[in-house]
Amino acid sequence: MAIVGGYVAKRDYSSALDSLIAMEPEVIANAHDSYKIFFFDQLARCYDSDRQSRKAIDIWHSIYDGKNISVNTLAHWAHAYYHINELDSAYMLIQQANKLPRNNTDEALCRNVEYDILEKMGRKAELARVDSLRNIAAGNTMKERKLEESSLALNLKYDSATRNARIEAAEARNRTNIAIFIAMLLAISGVAAYIFMNKRNQLLKLEHENDILKIKTMQDNLFKSDCRNKDMSARISELFHTRFNLIDALAATYFECKR
């Protein structure tokens, strides 16, 4: 339907009609009832715009007989009767539309169709009144469009400001998160460094204590070794002294025997 809308916007009603006709079998087979009504309403409008107003009227009869009809559809339906010069039917439908509540856009559409019908019917006395009403409706429609454009501009401005505020807030959150991450990283690094230095100091202290213990052990061993050496020296000295005395005694005995 978006493609059809594009054709209608370009007033290429023939292409729009071809697209709708190509879609018709699938819509009939698969679409729900409310969409079918919408689809065939659009198909009827394209038939009318393509100067096939009788087909359009037949479609509207098939989908709307005995059902509520929108003001917009009644105006287009009346215009289709206008195109085939069935002016009484056209006037009846446009009067039916004029009795229903409607917005300024539909009011302008109805008054334009009514003006065309009355002009073709030759009822010139009523044209001035309808022309005045359609000018008022056109003015109101223009005001609505300007208001909508102004509202749209304000909404766009608000959306832009909101988007910028969101971006700034997101950037602020990112900066805060980065700062928190860096602070946490520094804290973790500081704790890790403290633990490392504390562990290193403990290891150095333990190593120092082990070195002191080794030194004391070596000192004790040296002391014991020195004591053993002194004892050995004393024993050797005593042994030499004993041997010397023995030799001296033997020598004395020997010389006495010589005499």
Side-chain angles (χ1 to χ4, degrees):
M1 291 299 290
I3 296 174
V4 175
Y7 286 136
V8 172
K10 296 177 182 178
R11 298 185 181 276
D12 186 358
Y13 299 110
S14 179
S15 297
L17 180 60
D18 291 340
S19 296
L20 289 172
I21 291 172
M23 294 168 60
E24 185 176 356
E26 183 178 353
V27 171
I28 293 174
N30 300 315
H32 51 77
D33 291 341
S34 60
Y35 185 81
K36 287 179 181 178
I37 292 174
F38 168 75
F39 174 82
F40 283 108
D41 184 90
Q42 299 303 310
L43 180 62
R45 295 180 188 213
C46 285
Y47 270 126
D48 183 46
S49 299
D50 197 49
R51 299 179 182 178
Q52 300 183 58
S53 299
R54 176 55 64 184
K55 286 186 178 181
I57 292 169
D58 291 341
I59 291 173
W60 275 316
H61 273 298
S62 69
I63 61 176
Y64 285 124
D65 277 353
K67 297 179 182 178
N68 293 328
I69 310 172
S70 69
V71 171
N72 192 278
T73 297
L74 283 171
H76 282 282
W77 196 346
H79 217 213
Y81 274 118
Y82 163 83
H83 289 149
I84 61 174
N85 291 317
E86 293 187 16
L87 301 180
D88 290 337
S89 296
Y91 187 73
M92 180 188 68
L93 287 175
I94 202 62
Q95 288 302 306
Q96 184 180 344
N98 285 336
K99 294 176 183 178
L100 297 175
R102 54 195 178 276
N103 57 35
N104 287 321
T105 301
D106 286 340
E107 168 70 7
L109 174 63
C110 288
R111 294 306 177 183
N112 282 324
V113 173
E114 183 181 11
Y115 187 92
D116 290 342
I117 294 169
L118 291 174
E119 186 178 38
K120 205 167 191 179
M121 293 175 75
R123 297 166 62 172
K124 296 181 180 179
E126 300 176 51
L127 292 179
R129 177 185 62 84
V130 176
D131 186 51
S132 175
L133 291 174
R134 72 174 182 173
N135 286 335
I136 293 172
N140 290 335
T141 301
M142 186 63 66
K143 289 179 182 178
E144 280 187 354
R145 288 179 181 174
K146 288 182 179 180
L147 183 61
E148 288 174 358
E149 290 174 357
S150 177
S151 298
L152 178 61
L154 288 174
N155 288 336
L156 290 174
K157 185 176 181 180
Y158 173 77
D159 290 342
S160 177
T162 303
R163 184 169 56 254
N164 291 336
R166 288 176 179 172
I167 292 172
E168 290 177 0
E171 290 177 349
R173 284 196 300 271
N174 289 336
R175 289 194 295 269
T176 301
N177 292 335
I178 291 172
I180 292 172
F181 175 76
I182 292 174
M184 291 177 63
L185 186 62
L186 291 174
I188 292 171
S189 299
V191 171
Y194 172 78
I195 293 173
F196 172 77
M197 294 300 296
N198 189 45
K199 189 69 176 178
R200 183 172 178 273
N201 290 336
Q202 289 178 355
L203 291 174
L204 289 174
K205 183 179 179 181
L206 181 61
E207 186 177 352
H208 178 67
E209 290 176 351
N210 289 335
D211 290 341
I212 292 174
L213 182 61
K214 288 179 181 179
I215 291 171
K216 287 183 178 180
T217 302
M218 290 177 65
Q219 287 177 342
D220 291 341
N221 291 336
L222 288 173
F223 178 75
K224 290 178 181 179
S225 177
D226 185 58
C227 290
R228 284 196 299 271
N229 290 335
K230 287 181 178 180
D231 184 59
M232 184 66 70
S233 297
R235 290 181 181 181
I236 292 172
S237 177
E238 183 180 358
L239 179 61
F240 276 119
H241 183 69
T242 301
R243 294 288 178 89
F244 180 78
N245 289 337
L246 179 59
I247 292 171
D248 186 58
L250 289 173
T253 303
Y254 173 77
F255 285 115
E256 285 181 1
C257 289
K258 279 279 194 180
R259 290 178 187 172

